[in-house]
Amino acid sequence: MSVTSRRAFIGLTSKSSSTQKGTPSSSIFADSFESPPPPGPSAAIIALNRMAYGPRPGDITAFNALGADDSSRLAAYVEQQLDPGLDDSACEARISAGGYTTLSKTMAQLWSDHVRDRDNLGLDNYPYRYYPCAESECAKMLRAVYSRRQLFEVTVDFWHNHFNVLGWNFDIAPLFVQYDRDVIRPNAFGNFRQMLEAVAASPSMLQFLDNKSSRGSSFNENFARELCELHTLGVDNYYPGNDPNTIPNLPGESIAAGYCDNDVYEAARALTGWTMRDDHWEFPNTPEYDTGEFLYYPDWHDVASKYFLHRFILANQPAMKDARDVFDVLCQHPGTASHICGKLCRRFIGDNPPQTLIDSAAALWRQHWQSADQITRVLRHILNSDAFRETWGGKVKRPWEALAHAMRATGAEIDPQPYPDWNPYGNLLNLLQQSGNRPFRWPTPDGYPDRAEKWSGVSTLAQTWRMMSRLFELRPPGEPEGGIYLCDVVAQTNAALAPAARSAEVIVDFWIDRIYSQSIPASRRTQVLDFLRQNAPANEALETTTNSWSANDLKQHYTQSRLRSAVALLFMTPEFYRR
């Protein structure tokens, strides 16, 4: 009989190499993403693939124990995940034991240690300068794999994309811990207005969009433009041109229906003087002006009156009030509510969520724009909706999500370390970077795209598959040949199945259940089964306990290798990428 190769399974033929960008790159994707998605699975599978980075062993059982039917289970799981008191001490203990040195540093310490301290570290203190961002990435990986607060971690990822900064930027990397720890994470379930001001005052954002240098008549419009276009109203509410009087008011309200270029300039003027303590030559020459922290510098503020979205902002207001008035107007605006709720629905439901759900979520968002738990209320509304329960397959996992799910499903034991001592994690993260979805690396303010076509094209899928194929061959640092693996699927197989039960068909079905928690198309199962068994009968027990390079044990060694590859193949099917 013929022998199934891994290359044949994923359909990498010369014909597939000509597939156009944005379309499936192999036969197994062509028959899935180009056709309607299959009927929706159980609420457990939907919830744990959308509200979490995929289920870990035992998660499906725990979810099903939450109620008598899917609706009650989902409602209970939503409340569990929205509870800020959900115990996550085990995950935090892993992070504490990781030996990270920057995650608890104050902004002043980050600035002193990673920006200013150059005496013995070289002119630009590389790579020490990048440790804060690198360690934030390590902590993100640990939380994605081990945190019980999965919805919180997925939502934090959403806000990092919404308020994107390039964490690995030379100027931002030393300070990035503060952005993740003090700006995004504390506000992820809280109040958008509060988060918006924290973002605007963050030294990471001040540098990324240049507001730190915005002053007086020399204002810089970069942050103000993205504030309107990306962070709040959205481009759908943009009226091209520079005359605000051409924009109608919202029905029954004395506020403009959208923004024009003049509104961007007025917002930029309102934000002049919002800068950072970076020892600028115009600042007093004292240590407190060289800490890297936020600074409102009144000498740089344009105190004249302003006209924003048909609202007058008076001249000579108290410190920072001009910008806060702009934030208030934006956060009350229905355009902001629709823009952000549309993105939340797209993230948690599908690329084309029902407009009725966006509208109802936006109404709740606007009603509670001043509530401390505004975001929590809106998430609860979206996640308990019929659209959440009744749709499936309208999203594609991004490479980062696929990696996190793979490590969760296979019980990975990881201890990621920052550059330069993070091998094999450096290799793994480099593979993730080649897929285009490594954390904190998107270079533009719009954040990583959140539509299926971006992540189902030829290059992205090929690099994601490459990452998956390598994942199961990686060992922890210092682990000798023949030792444990980061995702030790051989050891887990042997622990779960008695020797006589370790046939190819039993092993494949065991891992299908672990990864998908449901069946996959028979043709897909057969391909993986044929790959694993080769010329052996499907029901014949395989020798999977020996891992040796000796001639007598070569067959057993390659059985273990094929087992690792077979599990990797299960992370390359379209069923795995649907959510």
Side-chain angles (χ1 to χ4, degrees), residues 38-42 45 392 508-526 570 573-576 578:
S42 69
I45 295 172
W392 177 251
V508 168
D509 287 340
F510 168 76
W511 281 107
I512 287 174
D513 183 64
R514 276 281 293 271
I515 295 167
Y516 304 99
S517 303
Q518 62 179 340
S519 62
I520 63 174
S523 61
R524 210 90 70 215
R525 176 184 178 274
T526 298
L570 289 171
T573 70
E575 288 75 28
F576 173 69
R578 290 192 186 280

Side-chain angles (χ1 to χ4, degrees), residues 12 14 44 71 77 118 253 276 316 321 360 373 391 400 421 450-452 457 471 518 531 573:
L12 291 177
S14 58
S71 294
Y77 185 71
R118 302 181 179 185
E253 301 189 42
M276 59 185 289
N316 299 307
K321 191 172 187 309
S360 61
D373 62 346
T391 59
W400 160 252
D421 300 316
D450 194 23
R451 293 189 181 275
L471 173 62
Q518 62 179 340
F531 174 85
T573 70

Side-chain angles (χ1 to χ4, degrees), residues 25 30 52 120-121 147 194 203 223 233 253 384 390 433 488 499 552 561:
S25 59
N120 301 310
L121 298 170
S147 176
Q194 180 175 322
F223 176 71
L233 296 172
E253 301 189 42
N384 281 304
E390 296 172 1
Q433 184 173 340
D488 204 335
N552 292 335
S561 179

